[in-house]
Amino acid sequence: MGNGSENSVFNAEYIDCPVCGCKSEHHFLNESLFEVTSEEVDLKPVLKWNKRIHAKYNPHLYYILQCPTCFFSGDVEFFRKPTNDFNFSVKLFDRKAKELAFTDPVTSRVLTVMKADTPIMDFNFTDAIKRYLSAIFFLRQFSSIVEKDSMALGRYCLHYSWLLKDLFNSGFKEDGLKLFRQLEAKLGENWKDFIINPEDALKQALLYYETCLYFSCIPEKMDCELEMLQLVGRLELALGRFRQAQDAFFKCIRNTYVKIEELQKHDMDDSIRAKIKKWNLFAEQTRSFLKASKEPA
């Protein structure tokens, strides 16, 4: 990505802001520094660093980008294709986003308070937290996103839960708690219910994914309904809600085999066989999660 070399810690790329349109340089952690060896039940990646010295660069710190001009925050997917996760036009998004960033006093204040001034090379948990919260707050100002097309909100809250999990298991937990107290004092009535612990972030992610799955046309449009249904089950399992997890996994397995049966009606070629193999493996993976969701005695 960008102009980074194999040995650099960060790679740089210039990207246009989807709100103010200004092009600015953003930095991404060089993915050649580590490998993902597995993932936890909530999809949180388990990493193996190629060099121990680079382990201090937690990838979750750099997931959310922030425009240095208008202070809008979002992930790289959103910066490049801001309406990909929504069922409304770029024009409608542009109008509402600009209104929020430049004329709405509450949103403008929140974005300003959440502005991170630290250079990316020195980024820490508190800088990342402000970016995540800013991104979540901004999208929550769109009623249609909160009530229907909430995939991006689910994604942000899920990644935020991973960040908070790492924060709470690190020596920087007190710094994070101090930041939350400072934000509470600065924001006052502007925003009182921001998330401050991993479990609540995970619950919020689950709510947004379920909302999108059952009320939005986006999962069907993006052909990710089965993956999202499995994810709902995985998040329920991560939260220890075994009956809800089982329900999601049962439904996912049933719908996966319906999809396989539909594929088997087509003339067989290598492409169809590959898809059938993929969904059979997916069904088996979901079965393993179903087995894991059997409530302990």
Side-chain angles (χ1 to χ4, degrees):
M1 180 182 290
N3 301 316
S5 68
E6 284 291 319
N7 297 318
S8 65
V9 174
F10 293 97
N11 296 335
E13 181 177 350
Y14 282 89
I15 304 176
D16 294 333
C17 174
V19 175
C20 70
C22 292
K23 185 183 291 291
S24 57
E25 186 179 54
H26 297 275
H27 293 83
F28 301 86
L29 193 65
N30 190 336
E31 294 183 1
S32 70
L33 301 177
F34 61 88
E35 58 181 297
V36 178
T37 58
S38 61
E39 59 186 23
E40 298 177 17
V41 69
D42 63 355
L43 266 68
K44 185 176 187 290
V46 177
L47 306 179
K48 177 183 177 182
W49 294 88
N50 299 326
K51 293 183 179 180
R52 186 178 296 179
I53 191 174
H54 292 140
K56 64 181 179 179
Y57 296 106
N58 186 325
H60 307 314
L61 297 180
Y62 315 105
Y63 177 71
I64 299 291
L65 313 182
Q66 189 174 81
C67 174
T69 302
C70 70
F71 312 140
F72 166 79
S73 297
D75 63 11
V76 67
E77 294 179 48
F78 198 94
F79 264 71
R80 288 177 176 150
K81 297 180 179 179
T83 58
N84 194 49
D85 293 329
F86 313 132
N87 192 33
F88 52 80
S89 69
V90 174
K91 186 176 181 180
L92 285 174
F93 170 78
D94 285 346
R95 186 172 70 238
K96 175 71 171 179
K98 285 180 171 59
E99 176 184 309
L100 287 169
F102 300 117
T103 65
D104 180 69
V106 173
T107 304
S108 297
R109 173 163 174 72
V110 171
L111 297 188
T112 302
V113 168
M114 298 298 185
K115 177 170 65 77
D117 296 314
T118 309
I120 194 76
M121 291 71 179
D122 301 318
F123 231 46
N124 55 42
F125 279 103
T126 56
D127 298 304
I129 285 169
K130 288 194 287 186
R131 286 192 174 190
Y132 276 92
L133 289 176
S134 181
I136 291 167
F137 180 88
F138 194 88
L139 291 192
R140 284 179 57 179
Q141 307 315 300
F142 293 77
S143 58
S144 61
I145 292 176
V146 173
E147 297 168 5
K148 186 172 58 176
D149 297 335
S150 50
M151 183 184 293
L153 272 171
R155 188 168 69 241
Y156 289 177
C157 289
L158 181 59
H159 282 258
Y160 183 50
S161 74
W162 301 344
L163 178 79
L164 291 179
K165 188 184 292 187
D166 286 347
L167 168 68
F168 275 55
N169 290 324
S170 75
F172 300 100
K173 179 179 178 180
E174 286 305 316
D175 292 338
L177 295 177
K178 180 180 177 182
L179 171 67
F180 291 132
R181 291 193 293 269
Q182 292 172 343
L183 292 178
E184 190 175 41
K186 288 181 180 180
L187 295 174
E189 294 297 316
N190 294 149
W191 192 11
K192 298 187 296 183
D193 61 343
F194 53 81
I195 302 165
I196 63 174
N197 68 69
E199 183 174 338
D200 285 344
L202 200 61
K203 289 177 180 177
Q204 199 67 59
L206 174 60
L207 173 63
Y208 286 134
Y209 277 122
E210 286 185 312
T211 297
C212 185
L213 181 62
Y214 295 115
F215 296 103
S216 174
C217 66
I218 295 298
E220 182 179 5
K221 177 182 174 183
M222 298 178 68
D223 193 25
C224 63
E225 295 164 289
L226 292 175
E227 291 93 338
M228 192 176 292
L229 184 54
Q230 188 198 75
L231 176 57
V232 165
R234 292 177 68 159
L235 298 188
E236 294 281 19
L237 180 56
L239 289 166
R241 303 199 301 212
F242 301 103
R243 179 59 61 83
Q244 293 92 327
Q246 289 172 32
D247 290 344
F249 292 139
F250 272 125
K251 186 175 181 180
C252 185
I253 293 168
R254 183 181 69 242
N255 292 356
T256 301
Y257 283 119
V258 169
K259 189 177 189 75
I260 291 171
E261 289 174 4
E262 289 298 318
L263 286 168
Q264 289 172 335
K265 295 176 182 178
H266 291 75
D267 294 333
M268 282 295 160
D269 57 22
D270 289 343
S271 174
I272 297 296
R273 291 189 187 93
K275 290 178 180 179
I276 291 173
K277 180 179 180 180
K278 167 193 167 183
W279 290 115
N280 272 313
L281 290 172
F282 180 80
E284 286 306 306
Q285 182 192 47
T286 309
R287 284 185 184 280
S288 71
F289 288 124
L290 176 60
K291 184 177 180 181
S293 69
K294 301 299 183 182
E295 188 168 0

